[in-house]
Amino acid sequence: MLSLAGVGLLAVSSGCDDSEHRPTPTQASGQTKAIAQVPAVDPAKTAQARAFIADVDKELRRLGEIEARASWAKQTDITDEHEKAAAEATAAMMAYTTQAIQGSTAFNTAEADPETARQLKLLKLSRSLPAPKDPALRDELAAIEAKLDGIYGKGKYCKNPKKPKTCRDLGELSDVLASSRNYDELLEAWKGWRTISVPMRPMYQRFVELGNTGAREIGFADMGELWRSGYDMSPAVFEQEMERLWQQVKPLYEQLHCHVRARLHEQYGDKVPQTGPIPAHVLGNMWSQSWGNLYPMLEPYKGEPSIDVSKALVAKGYDELQMVRLGESFFTSMGLPKLPETFWQRSMFTKPDDREVVCHASAWDVTNNNDLRIKMCIKINHEDLVTIHHELGHNYYYNSYYTLPVLFQGAAHDGFHEGIGDAIALSITPSYLKQVGLLDEVSNSDKAVINSQMQTALEKIAFLPFGKLIDQWRWDVFAGKAGPSAYNRRWWQLRQQYQGIVPPEPRGEDLFDPGAKYHIPGNTPYARYFLAHILQFQFHKAMCEAAGFKGPLHECSVYGSKEAGAKLRAMLAMGQSQPWPDALEKLTGTRTMDAGPLLEYFAPLRAYLEEQNQGRTCGW
Ligand code: ASP
Ligand code: SER
Ligand code: ZN
């Protein structure tokens, strides 16, 4: 995750309606009409706007650092005191942002120079949780935010609440979901984790009311509209973009779903019917969001190599730090700098046993000045090796843009931030693993390729509908289309519609299942992950081309390619100083998001799935 607090104000990335772009010289030539409409610019006003933004930059840095330090302290040691301090720091930042947004209305963006105009726009979009002006309401909102995050972090399910030994945290419960094939054991772990979010329900309801009030005060219909405004296009067009991309990948998802369901039916009998949706708790993951843990059940060709290096990591005696070093060495092989010494001193790599922490992985720049860190409870396995690359992708983004004005210190849009490390991790191919000694032999036999692709698809293709629906739910909740009496009902409707899954037992409105997923109490927007899962294949393809790779996309690794590194770095260094299509073009040569490269990558697996599914009734 890209920690919201960790990056201060960069919860929602770039934002700029096309309507407010000033014509660039090339666009303007021959467009006398457009030029004629630009009002005369008063140089005094332009200077005032610049001075205003310079002050804002200073203050956002000051308050952002205080907020990030407090948030780091809280997430790495959840106590009442730390929660209180984090809430206070957030409230101070919220107060200032509201005031600055108010102040910015004195300036007409047409009168500001382009850099200033863009910062004025980004300021309005800079908080995913805008606070009401009323100080009492603002403090209440900040306190709820800190509390929700804390409840999640401390969450434990106790079979017998009187016996602490029977209590299990998310890590332990997730291990059950990952490895058990006992239907009832799975059910208990799945239901057990969902007890932790029940107390969040009234708090979340209030959180929505207060956040919406804040959003309205700065000119948005609700928080959802604010979130959807961060993509250099209108919120309505953004929604259409999400839908267009989903339609591109949906047929592939349906093929995977069909095949997985058939195998689960073999495993569990009629508890997983041959048609219809799949019970949510048998997919190897607490939220059924990625299914990589089912790989042993799904392995297409037994005895052929796969890409999972969990065993090799253990056998070679890797510890957490060495896994992070391995991640870093991928980036440096491409000519990117080493992580600063402070990264190694200040990060949290393992789960401490003397205090409560938020284990959910995140990456930070605490000072907006290259104070890079990650916070993660690393397990020695393949999945976490990939997540380490994901988090380091954030750190290298921060590292590439920290010299920019603070309002430009964000990704081109937030999907870019989430997609960088993932794109790099696509280069963790068998030949790369052999190069670093984690695999003995490389096989590019058709069978080995299908095995590897199955593993990757269970992670990334399975994720797509989940990535889309989380904010579908929040947009409905924020807009009042799904009120508190329909929180769970709407959640499960969307889960069924998009993912083709159902809860193993009815889930009433006395429960609050959305709260059992980190990003809901953590208030991290989620459309970014859906976009990242599409974009990462575009990034990968572009880097492979830069590296001069010829061959099928899934075999490419850009390990060691300085050319690919330079192209990547050029895009990262732009931060959000320009509309995202400009950044995308810099790396990929195209200005639109497109699932084409994803589909190209998975072409071999798709053929395999279609063959396997012959004679089966797919869909749900
Ligand atoms: N970076 C991941 C996410 O964004 C963290 C994880 O997979 O644990 O939430
Ligand atoms: N890291 C994000 C999550 O945990 C997306 O994969 O949900
Ligand atoms: Zn992330």
Side-chain angles (χ1 to χ4, degrees), residues 45 84 177 230 252 264 294 316 362 416 522 596 619:
K45 274 275 166 92
K84 194 161 162 276
L177 268 292
L252 180 55
L264 287 167
L294 294 188
K316 302 264 176 204
S362 57
F416 283 61

Side-chain angles (χ1 to χ4, degrees), residues 177-232:
L177 268 292
S179 55
S180 170
R181 297 292 168 259
N182 177 314
Y183 193 91
D184 294 326
E185 204 172 272
L186 290 169
L187 184 60
E188 193 200 355
W190 188 94
K191 275 168 58 177
W193 177 244
R194 281 158 179 74
T195 60
I196 70 108
S197 54
V198 174
M200 292 177 192
R201 182 181 252 276
M203 285 181 235
Y204 196 75
Q205 185 180 340
R206 184 72 179 143
F207 175 87
V208 172
E209 285 166 10
L210 294 173
N212 275 340
T213 305
R216 276 179 212 122
E217 287 178 8
I218 55 169
F220 296 94
D222 58 60
M223 256 198 291
E225 192 187 81
L226 165 63
W227 289 11
R228 293 190 301 276
S229 297
Y231 297 90
D232 296 307

Side-chain angles (χ1 to χ4, degrees), residues 1 287 289 360-361 387 390-391 418 422 463 466 517 519 526 529 533:
M1 173 198 85
W287 310 275
Q289 69 180 68
H360 190 93
T387 301
H390 174 95
E391 301 306 339
E418 299 304 334
D422 285 12
F463 179 80
F466 183 81
K517 171 67 195 163
H519 302 69
Y526 213 81
Y529 298 103
H533 275 68

Side-chain angles (χ1 to χ4, degrees), residues 308-381:
D308 191 316
V309 292
S310 300
K311 283 199 192 111
L313 287 168
V314 175
K316 302 264 176 204
Y318 266 80
D319 63 17
E320 295 82 359
L321 196 73
Q322 284 169 305
M323 283 171 66
V324 183
R325 288 268 181 213
L326 184 63
E328 180 197 34
S329 71
F330 202 113
F331 289 87
T332 55
S333 85
M334 299 173 73
L336 277 75
K338 280 180 167 251
L339 293 162
E341 209 36 57
T342 51
F343 170 88
W344 303 100
Q345 294 152 0
R346 297 174 186 168
S347 287
M348 183 191 99
F349 299 125
T350 52
K351 183 169 164 29
D353 47 24
D354 59 344
R355 58 188 196 268
E356 305 282 2
V357 302
V358 175
C359 271
H360 190 93
S362 57
W364 304 58
D365 178 355
V366 171
T367 57
N368 285 107
N369 195 24
N370 213 29
D371 184 353
L372 307 180
R373 308 179 191 185
I374 64 172
K375 172 190 66 55
M376 189 172 166
C377 304
I378 299 176
K379 295 181 186 176
I380 312 294
N381 62 36

Side-chain angles (χ1 to χ4, degrees), residues 367-418:
T367 57
N368 285 107
N369 195 24
N370 213 29
D371 184 353
L372 307 180
R373 308 179 191 185
I374 64 172
K375 172 190 66 55
M376 189 172 166
C377 304
I378 299 176
K379 295 181 186 176
I380 312 294
N381 62 36
H382 190 89
E383 188 181 343
D384 276 11
L385 183 65
V386 172
T387 301
I388 287 168
H389 287 74
H390 174 95
E391 301 306 339
L392 293 185
H394 291 309
N395 287 134
Y396 276 99
Y397 222 143
Y398 302 144
N399 173 265
S400 306
Y401 62 48
Y402 75 89
T403 55
L404 298 182
V406 77
L407 282 165
F408 288 161
Q409 292 192 34
H413 71 50
D414 55 6
F416 283 61
H417 232 308
E418 299 304 334

